[in-house]
Amino acid sequence: MPSNKSVSDAPIVQFTNCRILRDHQLQREDLWVREGKILNPEKLFFDEKGSADVQLDCKDSIIAPGFIDVQINGGFGVDFSLATDDFKSGVDLVSQKILSHGVTSFCPTLVTSPPSVYHQVLPQISVRNGGAHGAGVLGAHLEGPFISKEKKGAHPEHCLRTFEEGAFQDLLATYGSLDCVQIVTLAPEMRRSSEVIRELTKRGICVSLGHSVANLSQAEEAVQHGATFITHLFNAMLPFHHRDPGIVGLLTSDKIPDVKIPAGRRVFYGMISDGIHTNPAALRIAHRAHPKGLVLVTDAIAGMGLAPGRHTLGQQVVEIDGLNTYIAGTKTLSGSVATMDACVRHFQEATGCSVETALEAASLHPAQLLGIEHKKGTLNYDSDADFLMLNDSLCVQATYIAGEEVWRQDVSGM
């Protein structure tokens, strides 16, 4: 067949002998990639009379969209809530290391901190595409300080804040800038939170409900004002109660379908599927109640990827004991040391869900939450060619960003 050089000089790569996750099903098809995008082979054949320049045998691997982690506090010794003048090098290190765990895009997350930390750190975070240098940065996730004292979890109480008169200006003064911010977690029961939610939503920032003692009606009101996410469901919120299920009740609220959520999106909820933060039974309950809203997050801290011992989470010292992470000297959980691929495997095992469902909880759903599903989180034609090769046990074998291999499992010692 003639090549398609008349249309583009860029090479076309055809991934063969694979099962592609597309339209919620693993399908035995080839994947075609050019210039960092996924190609429609029919258009290539019939419109361009083109063919592949390179063929790669995937040896029956699963090909799935790259994972998107919207809540990661750090890892590999890097704490995103510590202010340094060379913050960017820490982001670079984490973005490189998480490629081996299938993460191709992420939101660096800052826990409750003094204003000076936000003012120093946020200008050093820039939204950027992924590549050989590491996973793409989608923008910051600011978890606090506008959260409940009663459900502060691992957040330092002396840094917590309430909304004063001119609530949104108060938030701006605290953070310094919202230029690179993608998600803000706040407690919706706080006075004046409604105007803050509206203003953040107007700016295209996702509002998440968390670290909160809100009842269901307060949570529903927050959704009506634009909130679309729940931060680590079940953790740091009122426990489910049959007379008032609290924030958890949003999963089956009969008022949500009537709410005009921006762009018609549903309410999503994060879950830390590490076997520690949420009992498998609770994971199953949430998944069966609202499967299309479940977003897997790691909530990983600086100690992820390191040996047990003492590490930091912003203003606090934390201790890692096996898979448990606690504020030093307490039994208060403080983030996780789980990697995203491990969370996907645990979720699939704990719920008995399909492979497709487990993979979409870490790819499609976070993309939908952030409104970027037209380019990330799927293998649809014209979307970004950020994808993974996995074996049947959902272990990552290779990671691709923009169609280029950025990490591969070393099998030389196997």
Side-chain angles (χ1 to χ4, degrees):
M1 289 177 71
S3 75
N4 61 321
K5 299 299 183 194
S6 60
V7 175
S8 170
D9 288 332
I12 295 170
V13 182
Q14 178 187 5
F15 294 82
T16 66
N17 189 17
C18 51
R19 291 161 288 156
I20 302 173
L21 177 55
R22 185 176 282 151
D23 296 329
H24 318 298
Q25 295 290 327
L26 286 178
Q27 304 182 19
R28 193 161 284 284
E29 296 177 11
D30 292 351
L31 187 74
W32 298 72
V33 174
R34 178 175 62 195
E35 293 186 312
K37 300 289 184 182
I38 293 169
L39 277 181
N40 181 343
E42 286 194 7
K43 281 189 176 180
L44 175 66
F45 299 149
F46 297 112
D47 296 354
E48 302 181 20
K49 306 293 188 285
S51 61
D53 297 288
V54 180
Q55 284 189 327
L56 291 177
D57 183 349
C58 301
K59 299 176 181 173
D60 204 36
S61 295
I62 293 169
I63 292 188
F67 298 149
I68 300 170
D69 194 351
V70 299
Q71 187 175 9
I72 172 171
N73 308 293
F76 315 100
V78 175
D79 182 350
F80 294 144
S81 301
L82 282 185
T84 64
D85 290 328
D86 193 19
F87 183 83
K88 183 178 177 297
S89 66
V91 173
D92 290 346
L93 177 67
V94 173
S95 67
Q96 181 67 46
K97 293 279 194 180
I98 58 181
L99 294 175
S100 64
H101 301 290
V103 178
T104 54
S105 301
F106 70 109
C107 294
T109 303
L110 278 71
V111 296
T112 294
S113 303
S116 59
V117 170
Y118 298 116
H119 292 198
Q120 189 172 352
V121 167
L122 291 182
Q124 297 184 70
I125 297 177
S126 54
V127 175
R128 70 181 190 202
N129 293 324
H133 58 274
V137 176
L138 299 171
H141 177 169
L142 305 182
E143 187 186 359
F146 301 98
I147 58 174
S148 161
K149 183 168 70 173
E150 292 85 353
K151 292 295 178 181
K152 66 183 185 296
H155 293 238
E157 186 170 333
H158 71 278
C159 294
L160 299 182
R161 299 175 70 92
T162 55
F163 292 120
E164 305 304 327
E165 290 289 343
F168 188 70
Q169 291 306 313
D170 188 33
L171 177 140
L172 279 177
T174 301
Y175 294 145
S177 169
L178 295 172
D179 290 348
C180 66
V181 176
Q182 183 72 252
I183 304 172
V184 171
T185 292
L186 54 77
E189 70 275 14
M190 281 191 168
R191 287 182 62 209
R192 307 184 183 93
S193 65
S194 294
E195 64 182 271
V196 171
I197 294 170
R198 285 195 301 268
E199 288 296 328
L200 288 170
T201 303
K202 265 190 216 168
R203 288 162 172 75
I205 295 170
C206 167
V207 176
S208 188
L209 312 180
H211 288 277
S212 164
V213 293
N215 59 35
L216 179 56
S217 65
Q218 289 168 325
E220 287 171 333
E221 183 182 352
V223 171
Q224 287 163 358
H225 290 298
T228 54
F229 195 38
I230 304 170
T231 296
H232 44 53
L233 186 78
F234 295 125
N235 295 113
M237 60 186 62
L238 291 178
F240 179 90
H241 189 280
H242 58 284
R243 280 195 287 275
D244 191 333
I247 289 177
V248 177
L250 287 176
L251 271 62
T252 57
S253 169
D254 59 357
K255 295 187 179 178
I256 299 306
D258 300 326
V259 172
K260 292 180 180 176
I261 298 172
R265 294 199 292 273
R266 62 183 72 91
V267 173
F268 293 87
Y269 60 97
M271 295 211 75
I272 310 167
S273 173
D274 62 351
I276 303 293
H277 280 76
T278 312
N279 185 282
L283 202 52
R284 288 191 287 274
I285 288 170
H287 173 246
R288 290 172 190 175
H290 186 22
K292 292 182 178 178
L294 194 150
V295 173
L296 291 178
V297 299
T298 61
D299 199 21
I301 63 168
M304 176 180 69
L306 302 181
R310 289 199 162 208
H311 301 279
T312 62
L313 178 59
Q315 310 297 301
Q316 313 265 45
V317 176
V318 300
E319 292 177 322
I320 298 177
D321 178 14
L323 289 177
N324 294 287
T325 64
Y326 302 112
I327 294 178
T330 77
K331 287 298 179 183
T332 300
L333 284 174
S334 54
S336 85
V337 288
T339 57
M340 184 59 88
D341 55 330
C343 289
V344 170
R345 290 190 294 270
H346 177 73
F347 172 58
Q348 205 256 332
E349 183 182 346
T351 63
C353 71
S354 68
V355 165
E356 292 95 333
T357 296
L359 293 169
E360 287 187 342
S363 55
L364 174 63
H365 296 176
Q368 290 172 328
L369 164 72
L370 299 179
I372 57 173
E373 68 271 27
H374 59 290
K375 59 182 178 176
K376 305 279 188 192
T378 77
L379 299 178
N380 293 342
Y381 303 138
D382 298 323
S383 62
D384 293 350
D386 297 353
F387 58 89
L388 315 174
M389 288 186 192
L390 307 104
N391 62 21
D392 286 346
S393 300
L394 300 186
C395 295
V396 181
Q397 298 172 313
T399 302
Y400 287 76
I401 293 182
E404 299 290 331
E405 183 182 293
V406 293
W407 179 85
R408 178 168 287 275
Q409 176 73 53
D410 180 9
V411 294
S412 59
M414 296 176 67

